[in-house]
Amino acid sequence: MNTIRQVPSRVKSRRTETNLGAEREHFDKQQLSSISKAINATETPVKEKHARRIILGTHREKGAYTFWSYALGLPLASSSILSWKFCHVLHKVLRDGHHNSLQDCMRHHSTLIEIGTLWGNLHDKYGQLVALYAKLLCTKMEFHVKHAEIRPNLEATDEVLERTAGTDINNVFQLTVEVFDYMDTELRLAETVIRQLNTSIAISTLTSGQCRLAPLIQVIQDCSHLYHFTVKLLFKLHACLPADTLQGHRDRFHDQFHSLKSFFNKARDMLYFKRLIQIPKLPDSPPNFLHAASLAKHVKPVVVIPDEDEPEQQDDDDDDPEPLIEVSEVTTSSVQAQPQFDIFDQTFGPPNGGFDDRDLQIDSLKRDLEMLRAELERVKAEAQRYITQLKSQINSLEAELEEQRAQKQRALVENEQLRMELEATRRRNAEHENVQATFSEAEKRAQATEQRYNKLKEKHTELVSSHAELLRKSADTVKMLSATQQTQEEVERTKQQLSFEVDRIKQEADMRMEEQKFELEKLRRDLEEKMAEVTRMKANLQSNEKVGEQLNSSVTALQAEKERLMRSVSEKEAELSSLRQAAQAQQSSLQQERERSSREMGDLQGKLQEKVSREEQLKQKLLEEQFVLLQGTVTEAENIIQDAVAKLDDPLHVRCTSSPDYLISRAEATLGSIDKVKKGHTDFLTNMADAGGLVRALTQFSHLAADTIINGSATAHMAPTDHADRLTENCRGCATQSLQFLKDLKAKATVQRADPASIRIVVQKILHLGQELRPKGMDVRQDELGDLVDKEMASTSAAIEEAVRRIDEMMNQARKDTSGVKLEVNERILNSCTDLMKAIRLLVLASTDLQKEIVESGRGAATIKEFYARNSRWTEGLISASKAVGWGATQMVESADKVVLHTGKYEELIVCSHEIAASTAQLVAASKVKADRNSKKLTTLQQASRHVNEMAANVVGSTKTGLEHLEDKDTMDFSGMSLIKLRKEEMESQVKVLELESQLENERLRLGELRKKHYDIAGIPVEQMSEGNGLTSSPAHPSPSSPKPSKPAVMRKPALAQKPSIPPKNMFK
């Protein structure tokens, strides 16, 4: 019994092992078939079902070991199309396969590099694509191995991205660069594919074109996520680093943005992509990273892959059902056949020459042994495969362990470096406590400002959400009203149908009554005819009674006829009575139908009255909800304007400034919103059931009015006292009138007489004050700009010629007065100055020629003066640059004169050389703005600029060399000093070093303040610049009082040219 019970368990274990081996063999066969069908040398796109089976295989075995075991045997070096489709399938496996596939693919990283290098060196179209695709896959694997938190399909939330970036700004910077490189490889592949293809419809629908275009679906999916990552990281960088540091990042992002947008637009126009993928649309312009609020406008692009509706066509050998191996049936049949064979032998005996029982047992044991050997071989092969996999995992783990050890060693070194830096920082902290205190105070103010900004931002978000909720409520109310109207229309239609049915029933009843009356009349006529006939027969009988006995027979017949007629009369009377009863029943049924119809009409009339009353209630509720919506909007508008008024007295707002031009633009926008408010108010009074127009107009008006008030106050901070007082008073008046108008809109009794005309008057006053505060100097002499440019260029040329002449005179004078080393030094310096002046003269001539070419090519039918007047900003920049060059030449001559006469310093020549190099760079930039890139004169100007820089460098080198020759370096001999004397001299030397370091630090601070003041003067109007320089100003514009009056700087006009004010950075844009 125990042996019989143990047999099923052995059979079951043997069946399980057989099934597992068969299942593994079938899986390998299916994977080999899918890989061979997906990756071939035919120029057709990879079928989705084959790629899907390969991806499901990676999830089944939790890795890409099988895929790579078959892929390594493919002849990738023999066919570029085969390599291209291999890269496509590998891209899909990395994106959608099991997460362990990344580690398996990383082990073959060198194979991918070799494939890309091989095909990159061959002149083949697919070869170039394979080289770019291999580089993309290598970059993708390296990126995701380094940042394991981000999956290869790039579907990561913002929290995962923040956690990956971390808090160290250096890591964020490095991650941004890596994402840029990632995006570059994606875009380079896409641009190369589209450049090789003709984007016409015919090419995108052919299999050869689809073979190239198919991998771009994964590229589009990757690029959408990478674009979102780049935007998030750049906003985070701009929140921590200055804008100038990230200029290169912004330029690189702009290039990638335009390339990506062009790629998406071209792909969206191709028929091949329209049924396979929904490509998102990027915004018209890239995000403004300098404005932090632009992050809220950023929308993450989402790529949608539609579901496949058409069924896949089955292949002959690929889609067959999997064979189910059931060992139990075979075993059972063999067990059942064995007893039958034994019974047959026992009954009839063994056949001649047959085997006995032991032979049969030996044969069965041999078969079992062969089957067990086959199973053992399969188990050994499976075990060998598992051992290989485990060895590869052990190697990867050992590599990771070595990497961790290396990271640990690097961390220890970095820890030691950080400890040393910490000690140095502690020593520096003791010296910079005052600076830290000032910085902490500024940081506290910045935090307070940031908290206030966050509160304002939260308030704005709440207002936007409340506004959206009110709009949704309004839409629901409108839907309810439309449903009520539809119900009323259905009731009207039902009423008309019922009245039509009642009329039809009445007509049918009348027709039936007429028919019955006609039948009764017909029966009456028949009866009267029969009665008349009976009467005639009686008369004939009476008349024939006298005939005799011969008529007895006829009398008897007449009696029979009489009886027959009487019976017929009785039958007719019975039929007439039945017809009368039917008519009465019909009349009673018609009466019941009339009563039922009247009851239904009454019920319908009651329901109609209920619907009408409910409709009136809904209309009243709609009016109330619309007014509540209006009141909520008015309340939020009052809060916005009150918040803006509160900023007028906020001490933190005193440091905020604004330009009159921006105030004018805000005031003009507010006037436009007032017109919209007035129109919305009129529409609301006409139809109080719709307050949408007035609500939208009030929302826009409140924000624009608050913006006008805040910018008016900020503009008043930089305006003269009289204008500042009037501007502040008008801003308060605007707030008062706006609040009064909103208060009138808030109550039903005063909503009729609410009028925004008073607000318009106050805003127009603010607009006039802003126009009065605009700088007048820029618009007065627009027509004289052309003459001024020619004069400045001529004066610059004259200044340079005068400088050359004076240098020649100084050279002659130096040869007379000096000799030896001093003469050699002076000649070298003056010769380098002469060369510099000649180079500047060539630069001015090249700039003049390029300027003429720009004017001739850009003015069209206009005159030269009109062209300069139309491009006044560029003209002013050109004039400023010309003045800077002339002033630099004059200062160079004066400094050289002082150096030759031994009354000046050699450092003045070095500073003048740097100033001339900067001025010539400004002149080149001013001329380059409107020049054609391919202009030969622009090339000449750039060469002249480089020559000027070289000559300026020669001046600096000659000056430094001459200074070294003239310095007297005495030999330091301390042999005769004692120890105490040496200590004393050492202390005095340290004191002198500290004094010089203190003077150097003070001079650097003074230089920074001078540069700040210089740029401040260059960026303000002419009146304020004259006041800042200590010059007399007109009494109409008194200078605003400052809490810290500064000593006016004296500006001395040079003999030949005046140093100009450097324009702002956006002067030439």
Side-chain angles (χ1 to χ4, degrees), residues 743-780:
K743 182 179 180 182
D744 294 338
L745 286 178
K746 206 170 184 180
K748 291 184 178 180
T750 59
V751 71
Q752 297 284 344
R753 67 168 185 267
D755 189 10
S758 58
I759 307 175
R760 174 185 292 277
I761 295 172
V762 180
V763 174
Q764 286 178 349
K765 292 181 180 179
I766 295 174
L767 178 62
H768 293 326
L769 284 172
Q771 291 175 352
E772 290 179 4
L773 289 173
R774 292 180 66 182
K776 306 299 189 300
M778 297 182 182
D779 300 329
V780 174

Side-chain angles (χ1 to χ4, degrees), residues 820-839:
V821 177
K822 292 184 178 180
L823 177 59
E824 181 181 355
V825 169
N826 292 335
E827 285 182 349
R828 187 180 301 169
I829 293 174
L830 292 176
N831 287 331
S832 60
C833 291
T834 304
D835 294 338
L836 177 59
M837 292 303 161
K838 291 178 180 179

